Amino acid sequence: MDTILEILETIKPGANFAASTDFIEEHLLESMEILQLVSELNDEFDINITLPYIKPENFKSVESIHHMVQEILEDE
């Protein structure tokens, strides 16, 4: 999860992702930032986040992003 936090902080420096429970509702991540995050996660974890995974509940928190990455890794 530390890697995910590092990626988030490069996308939006200064945002307190560690303390947030809903990035979408708190406007920490907008659509273009989510696309950038998807690209960074794909590269970092050597995965392919496809359309079924790109939904708000998978990008609400560090934990939900981590869970999504783990699920994709297990499926591949």
Side-chain angles (χ1 to χ4, degrees):
M1 286 202 289
D2 289 339
T3 303
I4 294 170
L5 268 175
E6 288 173 15
I7 292 170
L8 287 165
E9 289 169 3
T10 62
I11 292 172
K12 194 164 191 174
N16 192 357
F17 290 103
S20 175
T21 57
D22 194 334
F23 300 160
I24 308 299
E25 190 168 305
E26 295 172 23
H27 303 287
L28 291 178
L29 287 179
E30 302 295 334
S31 57
M32 292 305 292
E33 293 160 333
I34 290 172
L35 291 175
Q36 185 179 356
L37 175 59
V38 166
S39 176
E40 296 284 334
L41 292 169
N42 284 340
D43 292 344
E44 180 67 32
F45 295 101
D46 194 28
I47 59 176
N48 187 21
I49 300 173
T50 57
L51 196 54
Y53 289 102
I54 301 175
K55 51 189 174 185
E57 56 265 25
N58 285 340
F59 296 93
K60 289 178 74 165
S61 66
V62 174
E63 291 81 12
S64 65
I65 295 168
H66 179 261
H67 177 74
M68 175 188 65
V69 168
Q70 293 298 357
E71 190 176 322
I72 294 168
L73 286 168
E74 291 170 8
D75 287 346
E76 289 185 345

